[in-house]
Amino acid sequence: MTQTIVIFGASGDLTQRKLIPSLYNLYRKGRLEDGIRIVGMAIDPFDDTSFRKHLHEGYEKLVGPIPEPEKWRKFAASIHYQTGSFDSTDDFDKLHQKLHKLEKAGDGRLYYLSTSPQFYEVIASQLGTLDMEVEHHGWRRIVVEKPFGHDRASAQALNKAILSVFDESQVYRIDHYLGKETVQNVLVFRFGNTIFEPVWNRNYIEEVQITVSESIGVGHRAGYYEKSGVLRDMFQNHLLQLLALIAMEPPASLNADAQRNERTKVLYSIRPMTADEVHKNTVRGQYKSYTSEDGVAPHSQTPTYAALRMYVDNWRWQDVPFYLRSGKMMTDKLTEMVIRFRKPPHSFFPHIEGSALTPNTLSICVAPDEGIHLSFETKVPDSILESQSVNMEFHYKPGEIPEAYERLILDALHGDPTLFARADTIDLAWGIIDPILAAWESKNAPPIATYADGTWGPAEGEALLAEDHNEWLYQCGKHGIAVT
């Protein structure tokens, strides 16, 4: 049995920048089945030849020179194209007929929605109208990109529309952060080492910090970002999924549902916030040049930065603060999860007071300095029991880190939903984010804070942690120091 990948919105940026390069890398590594076909559909008037040329040019412009050109020529021969409008059932019928000509009975088929979210329901409906989701002999699956809804109500409506055509087992809601190599390593790091799991709880951990920062502004995405803002764009999906990985209980097995159950339990345990608690535990900010960006309203209140203090109400994590932060136009591009352990309760070293001891920290660096850092105290040479913090580091070798989409596409082809979100997980995530959005949009909300371009965000973001006598920390990238 061979496979077909149907990419809707195939002429767009995501296909050129991520999907085709990832598929080509899988092909070069011998991980795609022989005879696999890639069929693109979009409104642009390409044929097979011009579409292949379009992808070739996009690859070299957005990614770089194509490696192993001879292999690319063989790979490109498997790429096909069908011009069509997502609103046209006739065009979908033409696609259906094209697929029948290319495929054999029993072939599997993966539909990938690389389109604007407004077309998700339309495409699912068109596929259902022609019974293109029906698994007569071969499997049928659909990959849905984020954002999955604009709020809880729209996400529920989208789920209802998709599940009226596809079964839940056929639906793969993608969050590319879960496909990142270092993020996947959290599971092995936590549960494959006996020295960490016994201290992975409130008795030993004082706080957890998760930072996802970008050094660029909204750029050409201003139209989308004005409707979204940082909370919908980053927190509802990426940051909550990272939190769930850090906080989850050991799954009973590597079974997909066992792992997804534990991640979902974490979201279920996050402490809900009233409007007053939202104002106390969250900060929203906007970089100063945001309203000068093309497509941004002059008096826009859209947040480009957010910092949240959250709690997971269960036995393992009760009253341990989880600080989540993300923003655009910040000092550095950085994705890091920091676990800060408690200080020793007492110091008998002659030159060190207990309060002066530096807590041990564990940093999981997702980007750009992929790896793991563990800091601990050692004696300063030739001193009288004076201590210093040192760092034990693990780094991936250059070229070891695959594109996240490689893993996720391959998992979808193999029918492994472990790294994809279920409907109930999406619903819980929106249930956490919606009250924060409502409080921010209320008349009692504090004014949005501003921060200078190229900084670590507004002063209010620092003050949020200072209330708990903490500060933002990180060890990844070129800084490797506390952010103050």
Side-chain angles (χ1 to χ4, degrees):
M1 179 182 74
T2 54
Q3 302 164 336
T4 303
I5 302 172
V6 182
I7 303 175
F8 295 104
S11 60
D13 180 78
L14 178 63
T15 302
Q16 288 185 300
R17 187 185 299 273
K18 296 293 184 181
L19 301 187
I20 291 299
S22 295
L23 285 165
Y24 180 52
N25 283 338
L26 291 171
Y27 176 81
R28 290 171 56 218
K29 296 172 184 177
R31 294 178 181 173
L32 295 180
E33 293 191 5
D34 291 338
I36 193 167
R37 295 163 295 265
I38 301 166
V39 180
M41 180 178 179
I43 196 65
D44 301 83
F46 293 117
D47 58 19
D48 290 357
T49 301
S50 59
F51 182 56
R52 292 166 187 168
K53 182 181 178 183
H54 170 74
L55 295 178
H56 185 282
E57 292 172 349
Y59 192 120
E60 296 206 319
K61 177 182 177 182
L62 299 171
V63 182
I66 294 178
E68 302 183 78
E70 184 58 36
K71 281 193 175 181
W72 170 265
R73 283 189 283 273
K74 293 179 181 178
F75 170 75
S78 68
I79 299 175
H80 307 270
Y81 186 81
Q82 176 64 51
T83 301
S85 167
F86 303 139
D87 296 320
S88 170
T89 302
D90 287 342
D91 286 346
F92 268 79
D93 188 54
K94 292 175 184 176
L95 172 67
H96 200 192
Q97 297 306 317
K98 187 180 189 82
L99 293 172
H100 275 306
K101 292 178 181 178
L102 292 171
E103 294 174 334
K104 297 177 182 178
D107 285 355
R109 193 185 297 168
L110 181 70
Y111 302 114
Y112 200 112
L113 305 190
S114 178
T115 69
S116 170
Q118 71 190 76
F119 295 115
Y120 293 170
E121 291 186 33
V122 175
I123 293 171
S125 176
Q126 296 282 23
L127 293 172
T129 298
L130 296 172
D131 292 333
M132 295 174 71
E133 87 291 356
V134 177
E135 298 179 325
H136 295 293
H137 301 288
W139 53 261
R140 300 289 184 269
R141 300 178 192 128
I142 185 168
V143 176
V144 186
E145 273 282 347
K146 83 163 187 90
F148 200 92
H150 186 74
D151 52 20
R152 192 174 197 177
S154 61
Q156 289 174 341
L158 178 56
N159 261 324
K160 184 178 180 181
I162 291 176
L163 295 178
S164 69
V165 178
F166 291 87
D167 184 78
E168 173 66 30
S169 64
Q170 296 174 285
V171 182
Y172 288 67
R173 302 169 189 83
I174 197 168
D175 183 340
H176 73 274
Y177 265 61
L178 290 181
K180 291 180 179 290
E181 186 70 26
T182 317
V183 173
Q184 295 172 53
N185 200 11
V186 173
L187 202 66
V188 175
F189 180 82
R190 279 194 58 191
F191 304 123
N193 298 294
T194 57
I195 63 173
F196 294 111
E197 184 55 26
V199 297
W200 208 266
N201 56 63
R202 65 188 301 273
N203 296 322
Y204 298 95
I205 292 176
E206 181 177 322
E207 60 174 304
V208 177
Q209 299 183 13
I210 302 175
T211 293
V212 180
S213 64
E214 296 181 81
S215 58
I216 59 173
V218 295
H220 68 279
R221 299 178 70 225
Y224 158 76
Y225 208 84
E226 272 286 86
K227 299 175 183 177
S228 166
V230 68
L231 212 58
R232 291 183 175 95
D233 188 45
M234 297 299 296
F235 284 78
Q236 182 273 332
N237 37 68
H238 302 328
L239 274 84
L240 286 181
Q241 289 291 346
L242 295 179
L243 185 157
L245 273 172
I246 291 292
M248 67 185 280
E249 295 297 318
S253 70
L254 282 179
N255 173 275
D257 275 337
Q259 293 188 56
R260 297 200 292 178
N261 285 345
E262 297 304 335
R263 297 203 303 266
T264 302
K265 286 178 187 177
V266 174
L267 300 188
Y268 185 81
S269 300
I270 289 178
R271 185 182 302 174
M273 288 189 264
T274 64
D276 287 342
E277 289 168 334
V278 168
H279 300 325
K280 178 182 177 182
N281 290 291
T282 72
V283 173
R284 61 183 178 132
Q286 184 185 93
Y287 63 86
K288 287 186 177 179
S289 68
Y290 177 71
T291 53
S292 301
E293 300 272 21
D294 289 340
V296 174
H299 303 290
S300 173
Q301 294 294 293
T302 300
T304 63
Y305 168 98
L308 313 182
R309 176 170 50 207
M310 311 185 88
Y311 295 92
V312 178
D313 286 337
N314 60 24
W315 277 46
R316 184 184 290 265
W317 297 110
Q318 192 66 36
D319 295 328
V320 174
F322 284 75
Y323 302 108
L324 279 61
R325 172 178 63 160
S326 184
K328 288 189 173 293
M329 200 61 83
M330 296 178 71
T331 304
D332 226 349
K333 178 177 175 61
L334 180 74
T335 299
E336 179 175 15
M337 298 174 276
V338 179
I339 292 85
R340 187 181 190 187
F341 293 91
R342 297 189 184 279
K343 294 179 180 180
H346 171 68
S347 172
F348 51 75
F349 303 117
H351 299 287
I352 310 170
E353 294 183 7
S355 61
L357 281 169
T358 303
N360 305 134
T361 59
L362 175 69
S363 295
I364 300 168
C365 305
V366 179
D369 181 27
E370 293 92 346
I372 298 173
H373 300 242
L374 176 64
S375 73
F376 52 91
E377 294 298 290
T378 63
K379 178 181 175 296
V380 175
D382 199 23
S383 70
I384 304 176
L385 291 181
E386 194 173 336
S387 78
Q388 64 180 351
S389 291
V390 297
N391 207 14
M392 184 180 293
E393 303 179 5
F394 157 72
H395 296 273
Y396 287 90
K397 296 177 182 177
E400 273 191 320
I401 304 294
E403 168 59 51
Y405 279 93
E406 289 183 37
R407 170 66 187 272
L408 295 171
I409 292 171
L410 197 61
D411 282 357
L413 289 170
H414 290 167
D416 182 355
T418 303
L419 299 177
F420 297 83
R422 286 191 317 223
D424 58 338
T425 309
I426 296 285
D427 189 62
L428 282 170
W430 277 119
I432 295 165
I433 295 302
D434 270 9
I436 300 174
L437 289 168
W440 283 0
E441 294 165 4
S442 70
K443 62 181 180 181
N444 298 322
I448 192 167
T450 59
Y451 59 98
D453 297 13
T455 65
W456 284 110
E460 289 85 346
E462 309 299 331
L464 181 68
L465 273 69
E467 292 174 6
D468 301 328
H469 306 290
N470 294 324
E471 60 185 349
W472 291 108
L473 301 165
Y474 65 97
Q475 291 177 289
C476 304
K478 60 188 177 183
H479 300 280
I481 57 173
V483 179
T484 57

